[in-house]
Amino acid sequence: MKLFKRQKSRQEKTADSEDHNQAQADTATDSKSDDVLSTLADMPITEHLIELRSHLIRIAVAVLIIFLALVGFSRELYNFLSDPLVAQLPANSTMIATDITSNFMAPIRLTIFVAAFFAMPYILYQIWSFVAPGLYKKEKKIAIPVLLSSILLFYTGVAFAYFIVLKGVLRFFITFAPQNVLPMTDIDSYLSFALKLFMVFGLTFEIPVVTLLLILVGIVSIQSLKDKRRYIIVGCFGLSAVVTPPDGVSMLMLAIPMWLLFELGLLLAQILIKDEQSNSLISENEI
């Protein structure tokens, strides 16, 4: 009996040890499965980040290539930018450089901006390539015209700022200068002023696209925008007074296009929604 009990106890110990080993194995397996699941969960985010990095690298390479192609013409580019100011200056006045590095850095900064300006279609294409896989077919159909119109409107805004707004603003400031003050603008200050003006008008001309997207997404409705039109017009004048130089000419030249571009976006949204409703009615009738 004692021998039987000893054998039984040994069998119990063996069974207990096997159960313990099995439990450890199960725990290890569970931990491994948890690690695999966490790795699988992290993989999509990692892949998205890698994909985003590749697109950003392509954008940087494109801007760098255009910059290297234009850097030899950096002085000519700055001369083209400064022509509206030089044409307004008195006969005995000229532009100056208050910093020893301004003669070199100002044209280089302008060349970087011009390189990014020319690379804008490729930049938007890379953004589209990154976002497109997550869009539905209907969204893709809308996104392509939106991207193309965004590029066109941005270029139109910058051209409007250079050929129309900049000359009027500079004429206003130089005309109202005191008689005992000789205008001599620093090249860095003028570059910052011009680039700010270009960016403001370039982004402002995107208002029709923004208005159309807000309506299509459902954030706002056409009727609500019509009801708040008077407040939007006042907001256009208030925003233009903040972002433009402190003169009435640039404020009016920005506020009026903002209002007209808002009306254009509203009109396009009405046309697009009517077309969608008519197409849906035709499909329902066919069914």
Side-chain angles (χ1 to χ4, degrees):
M1 294 294 291
K2 291 182 179 179
L3 180 60
F4 178 74
K5 289 181 179 179
R6 286 178 183 177
Q7 290 178 353
K8 186 178 180 180
S9 62
R10 286 179 182 177
Q11 290 176 357
E12 290 176 353
K13 289 180 180 179
T14 304
D16 293 338
S17 62
E18 289 178 355
D19 293 339
H20 181 69
N21 293 332
Q22 185 66 30
Q24 289 180 347
D26 293 338
T27 304
T29 304
D30 293 338
S31 62
K32 288 181 180 179
S33 61
D34 291 339
D35 294 336
V36 172
L37 290 175
S38 62
T39 305
L40 291 175
D42 292 338
M43 278 181 63
I45 299 176
T46 305
E47 290 177 358
H48 285 309
L49 292 176
I50 293 172
E51 186 70 17
L52 178 61
R53 184 185 65 178
S54 65
H55 288 292
L56 293 176
I57 291 173
R58 292 171 189 171
I59 291 172
V61 170
V63 174
L64 180 61
I65 291 173
I66 298 175
F67 170 77
L68 294 176
L70 296 176
V71 70
F73 305 95
S74 58
R75 288 184 295 180
E76 287 78 3
L77 290 174
Y78 196 90
N79 291 336
F80 179 76
L81 177 68
S82 60
D83 282 342
L85 176 62
V86 174
Q88 301 294 331
L89 290 175
N92 55 347
S93 180
T94 183
M95 298 185 70
I96 61 173
T98 57
D99 192 355
I100 191 65
T101 61
S102 297
N103 291 325
F104 174 76
M105 292 304 300
I108 293 298
R109 285 174 54 200
L110 176 61
T111 307
I112 295 173
F113 176 82
V114 174
F117 180 76
F118 285 146
M120 190 60 64
Y122 184 76
I123 292 172
L124 292 178
Y125 170 74
Q126 290 298 322
I127 296 173
W128 162 254
S129 300
F130 178 72
V131 176
L135 299 177
Y136 296 103
K137 291 183 179 180
K138 182 180 178 181
E139 294 173 343
K140 289 181 180 180
K141 291 180 181 179
I142 297 174
I144 293 175
V146 165
L147 286 174
L148 295 177
S149 60
S150 298
I151 297 171
L152 181 61
L153 288 171
F154 183 79
Y155 284 160
T156 304
V158 175
F160 180 79
Y162 177 80
F163 291 104
I164 298 177
V165 179
L166 189 60
K167 293 180 180 180
V169 172
L170 294 174
R171 186 182 299 111
F172 174 84
F173 284 124
I174 294 174
T175 302
F176 281 88
Q179 294 182 355
N180 57 352
V181 174
L182 188 63
M184 288 188 178
T185 304
D186 177 62
I187 60 174
D188 261 336
S189 300
Y190 176 73
L191 178 62
S192 299
F193 172 82
L195 293 183
K196 177 185 175 182
L197 198 67
F198 295 159
M199 290 301 298
V200 167
F201 276 84
L203 295 176
T204 298
F205 272 61
E206 302 291 336
I207 288 178
V209 176
V210 176
T211 305
L212 182 62
L213 289 177
L214 290 176
I215 293 173
L216 294 178
V217 171
I219 298 176
V220 294
S221 63
I222 296 176
Q223 188 60 41
S224 64
L225 291 177
K226 287 182 178 180
D227 295 337
K228 298 176 182 177
R229 179 181 277 117
R230 65 183 68 181
Y231 303 106
I232 293 173
I233 295 173
V234 174
C236 291
F237 280 89
L239 182 62
S240 62
V242 173
V243 299
T244 57
D247 65 287
V249 177
S250 59
M251 185 190 72
L252 291 176
M253 287 186 175
L254 180 62
I256 294 175
M258 285 176 69
W259 172 36
L260 297 178
L261 290 169
F262 163 74
E263 297 291 343
L264 176 62
L266 201 61
L267 178 62
L268 292 175
Q270 289 177 343
I271 295 172
L272 186 60
I273 290 175
K274 285 181 180 179
D275 291 338
E276 289 183 353
Q277 290 177 351
S278 62
N279 291 331
S280 62
L281 288 175
I282 291 172
S283 61
E284 288 177 357
N285 292 329
E286 291 177 353
I287 295 171

